[in-house]
PDB file of all heavy atoms in Angstrom:
ATOM      1  N   VAL H 110     113.358  81.535 100.498  1.00 99.00           N
ATOM      2  CA  VAL H 110     112.937  81.848 101.848  1.00 99.00           C
ATOM      3  C   VAL H 110     114.001  81.395 102.819  1.00 99.00           C
ATOM      4  O   VAL H 110     114.318  82.247 103.795  1.00 99.00           O
ATOM      5  CB  VAL H 110     111.544  81.017 102.202  1.00 99.00           C
ATOM      6  CG1 VAL H 110     111.184  81.209 103.733  1.00 99.00           C
ATOM      7  CG2 VAL H 110     110.407  81.545 101.372  1.00 99.00           C
ATOM      8  N   MET H 111     114.526  80.125 102.649  1.00 99.00           N
ATOM      9  CA  MET H 111     115.621  79.722 103.563  1.00 99.00           C
ATOM     10  C   MET H 111     116.807  80.801 103.467  1.00 99.00           C
ATOM     11  O   MET H 111     117.408  81.111 104.548  1.00 99.00           O
ATOM     12  CB  MET H 111     116.078  78.381 103.174  1.00 99.00           C
ATOM     13  CG  MET H 111     115.078  77.267 103.443  1.00 99.00           C
ATOM     14  SD  MET H 111     115.700  75.700 102.863  1.00 99.00           S
ATOM     15  CE  MET H 111     114.667  74.638 103.589  1.00 99.00           C
ATOM     16  N   ARG H 112     117.217  81.193 102.314  1.00 99.00           N
ATOM     17  CA  ARG H 112     118.364  82.041 102.089  1.00 99.00           C
ATOM     18  C   ARG H 112     118.215  83.343 102.850  1.00 99.00           C
ATOM     19  O   ARG H 112     119.062  83.821 103.539  1.00 99.00           O
ATOM     20  CB  ARG H 112     118.467  82.292 100.640  1.00 99.00           C
ATOM     21  CG  ARG H 112     119.729  82.786 100.150  1.00 99.00           C
ATOM     22  CD  ARG H 112     119.732  82.793  98.597  1.00 99.00           C
ATOM     23  NE  ARG H 112     120.049  81.470  98.011  1.00 99.00           N
ATOM     24  CZ  ARG H 112     119.198  80.805  97.162  1.00 99.00           C
ATOM     25  NH1 ARG H 112     118.159  81.446  96.739  1.00 99.00           N
ATOM     26  NH2 ARG H 112     119.516  79.688  96.776  1.00 99.00           N
ATOM     27  N   VAL H 113     116.995  83.966 102.721  1.00 99.00           N
ATOM     28  CA  VAL H 113     116.800  85.241 103.365  1.00 99.00           C
ATOM     29  C   VAL H 113     116.772  84.952 104.977  1.00 99.00           C
ATOM     30  O   VAL H 113     117.298  85.846 105.695  1.00 99.00           O
ATOM     31  CB  VAL H 113     115.500  85.963 102.828  1.00 99.00           C
ATOM     32  CG1 VAL H 113     115.325  87.298 103.541  1.00 99.00           C
ATOM     33  CG2 VAL H 113     115.470  86.141 101.364  1.00 99.00           C
ATOM     34  N   CYS H 114     116.094  83.880 105.381  1.00 99.00           N
ATOM     35  CA  CYS H 114     116.097  83.650 106.864  1.00 99.00           C
ATOM     36  C   CYS H 114     117.502  83.548 107.343  1.00 99.00           C
ATOM     37  O   CYS H 114     117.871  84.048 108.278  1.00 99.00           O
ATOM     38  CB  CYS H 114     115.291  82.374 107.136  1.00 99.00           C
ATOM     39  SG  CYS H 114     113.579  82.390 106.991  1.00 99.00           S
ATOM     40  N   ARG H 115     118.351  82.814 106.638  1.00 98.00           N
ATOM     41  CA  ARG H 115     119.739  82.470 107.014  1.00 98.00           C
ATOM     42  C   ARG H 115     120.619  83.723 107.101  1.00 98.00           C
ATOM     43  O   ARG H 115     121.617  83.911 107.845  1.00 98.00           O
ATOM     44  CB  ARG H 115     120.396  81.404 106.157  1.00 98.00           C
ATOM     45  CG  ARG H 115     119.863  80.099 106.488  1.00 98.00           C
ATOM     46  CD  ARG H 115     120.189  78.977 105.478  1.00 98.00           C
ATOM     47  NE  ARG H 115     121.467  78.889 105.105  1.00 98.00           N
ATOM     48  CZ  ARG H 115     122.404  78.206 105.828  1.00 98.00           C
ATOM     49  NH1 ARG H 115     121.942  77.335 106.775  1.00 98.00           N
ATOM     50  NH2 ARG H 115     123.743  78.052 105.575  1.00 98.00           N
ATOM     51  N   ALA H 116     120.164  84.730 106.252  1.00 98.00           N
ATOM     52  CA  ALA H 116     120.937  86.030 106.261  1.00 98.00           C
ATOM     53  C   ALA H 116     120.576  86.880 107.439  1.00 98.00           C
ATOM     54  O   ALA H 116     121.386  87.715 107.979  1.00 98.00           O
ATOM     55  CB  ALA H 116     120.730  86.820 104.989  1.00 98.00           C
ATOM     56  N   VAL H 117     119.255  86.719 107.878  1.00 98.00           N
ATOM     57  CA  VAL H 117     118.741  87.680 108.935  1.00 98.00           C
ATOM     58  C   VAL H 117     118.933  87.055 110.302  1.00 98.00           C
ATOM     59  O   VAL H 117     119.195  87.769 111.335  1.00 98.00           O
ATOM     60  CB  VAL H 117     117.311  87.999 108.612  1.00 98.00           C
ATOM     61  CG1 VAL H 117     116.564  88.663 109.767  1.00 98.00           C
ATOM     62  CG2 VAL H 117     117.231  88.801 107.298  1.00 98.00           C
ATOM     63  N   LEU H 118     118.938  85.744 110.501  1.00 98.00           N
ATOM     64  CA  LEU H 118     118.847  85.012 111.757  1.00 98.00           C
ATOM     65  C   LEU H 118     120.070  85.424 112.626  1.00 98.00           C
ATOM     66  O   LEU H 118     119.807  85.743 113.839  1.00 98.00           O
ATOM     67  CB  LEU H 118     118.776  83.605 111.518  1.00 98.00           C
ATOM     68  CG  LEU H 118     117.353  83.143 111.312  1.00 98.00           C
ATOM     69  CD1 LEU H 118     117.324  81.674 110.834  1.00 98.00           C
ATOM     70  CD2 LEU H 118     116.434  83.105 112.607  1.00 98.00           C
ATOM     71  N   PRO H 119     121.362  85.373 112.161  1.00 98.00           N
ATOM     72  CA  PRO H 119     122.488  85.766 113.039  1.00 98.00           C
ATOM     73  C   PRO H 119     122.215  87.106 113.709  1.00 98.00           C
ATOM     74  O   PRO H 119     122.536  87.321 114.874  1.00 98.00           O
ATOM     75  CB  PRO H 119     123.657  85.697 111.996  1.00 98.00           C
ATOM     76  CG  PRO H 119     123.213  84.917 110.908  1.00 98.00           C
ATOM     77  CD  PRO H 119     121.776  85.051 110.748  1.00 98.00           C
ATOM     78  N   HIS H 120     121.707  88.064 112.879  1.00 98.00           N
ATOM     79  CA  HIS H 120     121.453  89.395 113.298  1.00 98.00           C
ATOM     80  C   HIS H 120     120.393  89.320 114.369  1.00 98.00           C
ATOM     81  O   HIS H 120     120.446  90.007 115.465  1.00 98.00           O
ATOM     82  CB  HIS H 120     121.128  90.347 112.198  1.00 98.00           C
ATOM     83  CG  HIS H 120     120.533  91.656 112.595  1.00 98.00           C
ATOM     84  ND1 HIS H 120     121.221  92.631 113.102  1.00 98.00           N
ATOM     85  CD2 HIS H 120     119.300  91.993 112.579  1.00 98.00           C
ATOM     86  CE1 HIS H 120     120.441  93.565 113.413  1.00 98.00           C
ATOM     87  NE2 HIS H 120     119.221  93.262 113.061  1.00 98.00           N
ATOM     88  N   MET H 121     119.256  88.711 114.198  1.00 98.00           N
ATOM     89  CA  MET H 121     118.167  88.571 115.170  1.00 98.00           C
ATOM     90  C   MET H 121     118.680  87.935 116.398  1.00 98.00           C
ATOM     91  O   MET H 121     118.326  88.357 117.539  1.00 98.00           O
ATOM     92  CB  MET H 121     116.934  87.847 114.556  1.00 98.00           C
ATOM     93  CG  MET H 121     116.170  88.580 113.695  1.00 98.00           C
ATOM     94  SD  MET H 121     114.713  87.755 113.087  1.00 98.00           S
ATOM     95  CE  MET H 121     113.866  89.063 112.190  1.00 98.00           C
ATOM     96  N   ARG H 122     119.483  86.871 116.324  1.00 98.00           N
ATOM     97  CA  ARG H 122     120.047  86.221 117.482  1.00 98.00           C
ATOM     98  C   ARG H 122     121.003  87.314 118.325  1.00 98.00           C
ATOM     99  O   ARG H 122     120.895  87.403 119.495  1.00 98.00           O
ATOM    100  CB  ARG H 122     120.838  85.020 117.240  1.00 98.00           C
ATOM    101  CG  ARG H 122     119.985  83.857 116.875  1.00 98.00           C
ATOM    102  CD  ARG H 122     120.681  82.511 116.952  1.00 98.00           C
ATOM    103  NE  ARG H 122     121.635  82.378 115.766  1.00 98.00           N
ATOM    104  CZ  ARG H 122     122.946  82.244 115.828  1.00 98.00           C
ATOM    105  NH1 ARG H 122     123.558  82.320 116.946  1.00 98.00           N
ATOM    106  NH2 ARG H 122     123.691  82.203 114.704  1.00 98.00           N
ATOM    107  N   GLN H 123     121.771  87.951 117.534  1.00 98.00           N
ATOM    108  CA  GLN H 123     122.612  89.021 118.258  1.00 98.00           C
ATOM    109  C   GLN H 123     121.821  90.146 118.971  1.00 98.00           C
ATOM    110  O   GLN H 123     122.125  90.444 120.048  1.00 98.00           O
ATOM    111  CB  GLN H 123     123.369  89.652 117.124  1.00 98.00           C
ATOM    112  CG  GLN H 123     124.618  90.357 117.733  1.00 98.00           C
ATOM    113  CD  GLN H 123     125.442  91.158 116.616  1.00 98.00           C
ATOM    114  OE1 GLN H 123     124.967  91.223 115.457  1.00 98.00           O
ATOM    115  NE2 GLN H 123     126.614  91.459 117.015  1.00 98.00           N
ATOM    116  N   GLN H 124     120.704  90.479 118.402  1.00 97.00           N
ATOM    117  CA  GLN H 124     119.918  91.482 118.967  1.00 97.00           C
ATOM    118  C   GLN H 124     118.777  90.921 120.021  1.00 97.00           C
ATOM    119  O   GLN H 124     118.116  91.545 120.516  1.00 97.00           O
ATOM    120  CB  GLN H 124     119.099  92.455 118.072  1.00 97.00           C
ATOM    121  CG  GLN H 124     118.015  91.653 117.263  1.00 97.00           C
ATOM    122  CD  GLN H 124     117.334  92.492 116.143  1.00 97.00           C
ATOM    123  OE1 GLN H 124     118.014  93.483 115.692  1.00 97.00           O
ATOM    124  NE2 GLN H 124     116.197  92.227 115.630  1.00 97.00           N
ATOM    125  N   LYS H 125     118.946  89.535 120.206  1.00 98.00           N
ATOM    126  CA  LYS H 125     118.129  88.809 121.110  1.00 98.00           C
ATOM    127  C   LYS H 125     116.548  88.852 120.872  1.00 98.00           C
ATOM    128  O   LYS H 125     115.800  88.949 121.786  1.00 98.00           O
ATOM    129  CB  LYS H 125     118.361  89.274 122.609  1.00 98.00           C
ATOM    130  CG  LYS H 125     119.976  89.368 122.953  1.00 98.00           C
ATOM    131  CD  LYS H 125     120.240  88.300 124.076  1.00 98.00           C
ATOM    132  CE  LYS H 125     121.776  88.180 124.274  1.00 98.00           C
ATOM    133  NZ  LYS H 125     122.496  87.299 123.360  1.00 98.00           N
ATOM    134  N   GLY H 126     116.254  88.839 119.625  1.00 98.00           N
ATOM    135  CA  GLY H 126     114.816  88.664 119.382  1.00 98.00           C
ATOM    136  C   GLY H 126     114.506  89.161 117.931  1.00 98.00           C
ATOM    137  O   GLY H 126     115.330  89.803 117.246  1.00 98.00           O
ATOM    138  N   GLY H 127     113.239  88.722 117.493  1.00 98.00           N
ATOM    139  CA  GLY H 127     112.726  89.180 116.232  1.00 98.00           C
ATOM    140  C   GLY H 127     111.566  88.350 115.720  1.00 98.00           C
ATOM    141  O   GLY H 127     111.087  87.390 116.624  1.00 98.00           O
ATOM    142  N   THR H 128     111.030  88.658 114.711  1.00 99.00           N
ATOM    143  CA  THR H 128     109.860  87.907 114.092  1.00 99.00           C
ATOM    144  C   THR H 128     110.077  87.629 112.616  1.00 99.00           C
ATOM    145  O   THR H 128     110.446  88.564 111.931  1.00 99.00           O
ATOM    146  CB  THR H 128     108.532  88.591 114.402  1.00 99.00           C
ATOM    147  OG1 THR H 128     108.361  88.845 115.758  1.00 99.00           O
ATOM    148  CG2 THR H 128     107.314  87.802 113.867  1.00 99.00           C
ATOM    149  N   ILE H 129     109.818  86.377 112.198  1.00 99.00           N
ATOM    150  CA  ILE H 129     109.922  86.003 110.769  1.00 99.00           C
ATOM    151  C   ILE H 129     108.458  85.589 110.362  1.00 99.00           C
ATOM    152  O   ILE H 129     107.922  84.745 111.101  1.00 99.00           O
ATOM    153  CB  ILE H 129     110.885  84.999 110.516  1.00 99.00           C
ATOM    154  CG1 ILE H 129     112.455  85.488 110.861  1.00 99.00           C
ATOM    155  CG2 ILE H 129     110.856  84.479 109.148  1.00 99.00           C
ATOM    156  CD1 ILE H 129     113.415  84.544 110.771  1.00 99.00           C
ATOM    157  N   ILE H 130     107.956  86.209 109.300  1.00 99.00           N
ATOM    158  CA  ILE H 130     106.670  85.715 108.842  1.00 99.00           C
ATOM    159  C   ILE H 130     106.878  85.265 107.353  1.00 99.00           C
ATOM    160  O   ILE H 130     107.354  85.971 106.614  1.00 99.00           O
ATOM    161  CB  ILE H 130     105.688  86.973 108.816  1.00 99.00           C
ATOM    162  CG1 ILE H 130     105.556  87.288 110.328  1.00 99.00           C
ATOM    163  CG2 ILE H 130     104.301  86.721 108.178  1.00 99.00           C
ATOM    164  CD1 ILE H 130     104.942  88.900 110.420  1.00 99.00           C
ATOM    165  N   ASN H 131     106.464  84.100 107.167  1.00 99.00           N
ATOM    166  CA  ASN H 131     106.664  83.442 105.832  1.00 99.00           C
ATOM    167  C   ASN H 131     105.144  83.523 105.133  1.00 99.00           C
ATOM    168  O   ASN H 131     104.223  82.908 105.745  1.00 99.00           O
ATOM    169  CB  ASN H 131     107.099  82.087 105.770  1.00 99.00           C
ATOM    170  CG  ASN H 131     108.517  81.986 106.373  1.00 99.00           C
ATOM    171  OD1 ASN H 131     109.281  82.923 106.182  1.00 99.00           O
ATOM    172  ND2 ASN H 131     108.841  80.922 107.160  1.00 99.00           N
ATOM    173  N   VAL H 132     105.079  84.091 104.008  1.00 98.00           N
ATOM    174  CA  VAL H 132     103.928  84.031 103.261  1.00 98.00           C
ATOM    175  C   VAL H 132     103.761  82.628 102.460  1.00 98.00           C
ATOM    176  O   VAL H 132     104.617  82.480 101.592  1.00 98.00           O
ATOM    177  CB  VAL H 132     103.667  85.233 102.278  1.00 98.00           C
ATOM    178  CG1 VAL H 132     102.346  85.267 101.629  1.00 98.00           C
ATOM    179  CG2 VAL H 132     103.722  86.565 103.115  1.00 98.00           C
ATOM    180  N   THR H 133     102.824  81.831 102.931  1.00 98.00           N
ATOM    181  CA  THR H 133     102.648  80.561 102.210  1.00 98.00           C
ATOM    182  C   THR H 133     101.366  80.616 101.379  1.00 98.00           C
ATOM    183  O   THR H 133     101.263  81.408 100.573  1.00 98.00           O
ATOM    184  CB  THR H 133     102.602  79.463 103.281  1.00 98.00           C
ATOM    185  OG1 THR H 133     101.653  79.624 104.167  1.00 98.00           O
ATOM    186  CG2 THR H 133     103.941  79.367 104.006  1.00 98.00           C
TER     187      THR H 133
END
Side-chain angles (χ1 to χ4, degrees):
V110 172
M111 290 179 167
R112 197 171 281 123
V113 184
C114 285
R115 284 164 58 86
V117 169
L118 280 164
H120 165 74
M121 284 186 171
R122 280 193 293 114
Q123 199 184 9
Q124 73 187 15
K125 310 246 175 279
T128 301
I129 296 178
I130 298 164
N131 297 325
V132 178
T133 57

